[in-house]
PDB file of all heavy atoms in Angstrom:
ATOM      1  N   VAL A 906      35.501  19.521  -2.435  1.00  0.00           N
ATOM      2  CA  VAL A 906      34.135  19.537  -1.926  1.00  0.00           C
ATOM      3  C   VAL A 906      33.098  19.493  -3.051  1.00  0.00           C
ATOM      4  O   VAL A 906      32.120  18.769  -3.000  1.00  0.00           O
ATOM      5  CB  VAL A 906      33.926  20.852  -1.062  1.00  0.00           C
ATOM      6  CG1 VAL A 906      32.459  20.986  -0.678  1.00  0.00           C
ATOM      7  CG2 VAL A 906      34.798  20.775   0.190  1.00  0.00           C
ATOM      8  N   ALA A 907      33.368  20.309  -4.086  1.00  0.00           N
ATOM      9  CA  ALA A 907      32.416  20.345  -5.227  1.00  0.00           C
ATOM     10  C   ALA A 907      32.370  19.012  -5.870  1.00  0.00           C
ATOM     11  O   ALA A 907      31.303  18.519  -6.306  1.00  0.00           O
ATOM     12  CB  ALA A 907      32.893  21.413  -6.217  1.00  0.00           C
ATOM     13  N   PHE A 908      33.576  18.327  -6.010  1.00  0.00           N
ATOM     14  CA  PHE A 908      33.616  16.999  -6.599  1.00  0.00           C
ATOM     15  C   PHE A 908      32.826  15.995  -5.790  1.00  0.00           C
ATOM     16  O   PHE A 908      32.050  15.183  -6.298  1.00  0.00           O
ATOM     17  CB  PHE A 908      35.067  16.522  -6.754  1.00  0.00           C
ATOM     18  CG  PHE A 908      35.177  15.107  -7.276  1.00  0.00           C
ATOM     19  CD1 PHE A 908      34.951  14.843  -8.604  1.00  0.00           C
ATOM     20  CD2 PHE A 908      35.438  14.082  -6.411  1.00  0.00           C
ATOM     21  CE1 PHE A 908      35.052  13.541  -9.101  1.00  0.00           C
ATOM     22  CE2 PHE A 908      35.535  12.773  -6.873  1.00  0.00           C
ATOM     23  CZ  PHE A 908      35.346  12.519  -8.216  1.00  0.00           C
ATOM     24  N   ALA A 909      32.966  16.100  -4.474  1.00  0.00           N
ATOM     25  CA  ALA A 909      32.237  15.197  -3.571  1.00  0.00           C
ATOM     26  C   ALA A 909      30.706  15.412  -3.716  1.00  0.00           C
ATOM     27  O   ALA A 909      29.965  14.450  -3.790  1.00  0.00           O
ATOM     28  CB  ALA A 909      32.638  15.416  -2.130  1.00  0.00           C
ATOM     29  N   ASP A 910      30.328  16.692  -3.707  1.00  0.00           N
ATOM     30  CA  ASP A 910      28.920  17.015  -3.877  1.00  0.00           C
ATOM     31  C   ASP A 910      28.366  16.462  -5.186  1.00  0.00           C
ATOM     32  O   ASP A 910      27.286  15.888  -5.264  1.00  0.00           O
ATOM     33  CB  ASP A 910      28.673  18.504  -3.818  1.00  0.00           C
ATOM     34  CG  ASP A 910      28.775  19.050  -2.376  1.00  0.00           C
ATOM     35  OD1 ASP A 910      28.693  18.268  -1.428  1.00  0.00           O
ATOM     36  OD2 ASP A 910      28.958  20.249  -2.236  1.00  0.00           O
ATOM     37  N   SER A 911      29.174  16.662  -6.249  1.00  0.00           N
ATOM     38  CA  SER A 911      28.776  16.232  -7.549  1.00  0.00           C
ATOM     39  C   SER A 911      28.621  14.697  -7.590  1.00  0.00           C
ATOM     40  O   SER A 911      27.674  14.168  -8.148  1.00  0.00           O
ATOM     41  CB  SER A 911      29.819  16.666  -8.614  1.00  0.00           C
ATOM     42  OG  SER A 911      29.479  16.176  -9.866  1.00  0.00           O
ATOM     43  N   ARG A 912      29.552  13.980  -6.988  1.00  0.00           N
ATOM     44  CA  ARG A 912      29.488  12.539  -6.971  1.00  0.00           C
ATOM     45  C   ARG A 912      28.307  12.061  -6.127  1.00  0.00           C
ATOM     46  O   ARG A 912      27.617  11.101  -6.479  1.00  0.00           O
ATOM     47  CB  ARG A 912      30.803  11.985  -6.415  1.00  0.00           C
ATOM     48  CG  ARG A 912      30.918  10.461  -6.515  1.00  0.00           C
ATOM     49  CD  ARG A 912      32.246  10.007  -5.956  1.00  0.00           C
ATOM     50  NE  ARG A 912      32.261   8.573  -5.833  1.00  0.00           N
ATOM     51  CZ  ARG A 912      33.118   7.896  -5.068  1.00  0.00           C
ATOM     52  NH1 ARG A 912      34.039   8.571  -4.353  1.00  0.00           N
ATOM     53  NH2 ARG A 912      33.094   6.573  -5.005  1.00  0.00           N
ATOM     54  N   TYR A 913      28.087  12.719  -5.011  1.00  0.00           N
ATOM     55  CA  TYR A 913      26.959  12.389  -4.124  1.00  0.00           C
ATOM     56  C   TYR A 913      25.648  12.509  -4.880  1.00  0.00           C
ATOM     57  O   TYR A 913      24.824  11.584  -4.865  1.00  0.00           O
ATOM     58  CB  TYR A 913      26.978  13.348  -2.924  1.00  0.00           C
ATOM     59  CG  TYR A 913      25.876  13.143  -1.888  1.00  0.00           C
ATOM     60  CD1 TYR A 913      26.002  12.228  -0.863  1.00  0.00           C
ATOM     61  CD2 TYR A 913      24.741  13.964  -1.943  1.00  0.00           C
ATOM     62  CE1 TYR A 913      24.989  12.104   0.103  1.00  0.00           C
ATOM     63  CE2 TYR A 913      23.733  13.817  -0.987  1.00  0.00           C
ATOM     64  CZ  TYR A 913      23.864  12.898   0.018  1.00  0.00           C
ATOM     65  OH  TYR A 913      22.871  12.761   0.958  1.00  0.00           O
ATOM     66  N   LEU A 914      25.492  13.620  -5.537  1.00  0.00           N
ATOM     67  CA  LEU A 914      24.259  13.877  -6.317  1.00  0.00           C
ATOM     68  C   LEU A 914      24.138  12.906  -7.499  1.00  0.00           C
ATOM     69  O   LEU A 914      23.035  12.469  -7.848  1.00  0.00           O
ATOM     70  CB  LEU A 914      24.189  15.323  -6.786  1.00  0.00           C
ATOM     71  CG  LEU A 914      24.077  16.379  -5.688  1.00  0.00           C
ATOM     72  CD1 LEU A 914      24.142  17.750  -6.256  1.00  0.00           C
ATOM     73  CD2 LEU A 914      22.766  16.204  -4.888  1.00  0.00           C
ATOM     74  N   ARG A 915      25.291  12.620  -8.091  1.00  0.00           N
ATOM     75  CA  ARG A 915      25.262  11.682  -9.251  1.00  0.00           C
ATOM     76  C   ARG A 915      24.873  10.277  -8.783  1.00  0.00           C
ATOM     77  O   ARG A 915      24.077   9.592  -9.495  1.00  0.00           O
ATOM     78  CB  ARG A 915      26.633  11.639  -9.904  1.00  0.00           C
ATOM     79  CG  ARG A 915      26.640  10.842 -11.211  1.00  0.00           C
ATOM     80  CD  ARG A 915      27.904  11.094 -12.028  1.00  0.00           C
ATOM     81  NE  ARG A 915      29.093  10.563 -11.308  1.00  0.00           N
ATOM     82  CZ  ARG A 915      30.004  11.325 -10.786  1.00  0.00           C
ATOM     83  NH1 ARG A 915      29.958  12.658 -10.853  1.00  0.00           N
ATOM     84  NH2 ARG A 915      31.106  10.796 -10.183  1.00  0.00           N
ATOM     85  N   LEU A 916      25.340   9.853  -7.654  1.00  0.00           N
ATOM     86  CA  LEU A 916      24.915   8.570  -7.116  1.00  0.00           C
ATOM     87  C   LEU A 916      23.402   8.497  -6.861  1.00  0.00           C
ATOM     88  O   LEU A 916      22.757   7.502  -7.179  1.00  0.00           O
ATOM     89  CB  LEU A 916      25.670   8.260  -5.797  1.00  0.00           C
ATOM     90  CG  LEU A 916      27.169   7.913  -5.963  1.00  0.00           C
ATOM     91  CD1 LEU A 916      27.844   8.005  -4.598  1.00  0.00           C
ATOM     92  CD2 LEU A 916      27.297   6.490  -6.538  1.00  0.00           C
ATOM     93  N   GLU A 943      29.223  10.879   2.073  1.00  0.00           N
ATOM     94  CA  GLU A 943      28.972  12.076   2.863  1.00  0.00           C
ATOM     95  C   GLU A 943      28.136  11.721   4.058  1.00  0.00           C
ATOM     96  O   GLU A 943      26.927  11.959   4.107  1.00  0.00           O
ATOM     97  CB  GLU A 943      28.275  13.152   2.031  1.00  0.00           C
ATOM     98  CG  GLU A 943      29.125  13.697   0.893  1.00  0.00           C
ATOM     99  CD  GLU A 943      28.504  14.930   0.246  1.00  0.00           C
ATOM    100  OE1 GLU A 943      27.725  15.614   0.900  1.00  0.00           O
ATOM    101  OE2 GLU A 943      28.798  15.203  -0.915  1.00  0.00           O
TER     102      GLU A 943
END
Side-chain angles (χ1 to χ4, degrees):
V906 172
F908 175 77
D910 284 343
S911 175
R912 187 179 170 200
Y913 179 85
L914 294 175
R915 188 167 65 250
L916 286 167
E943 294 190 25

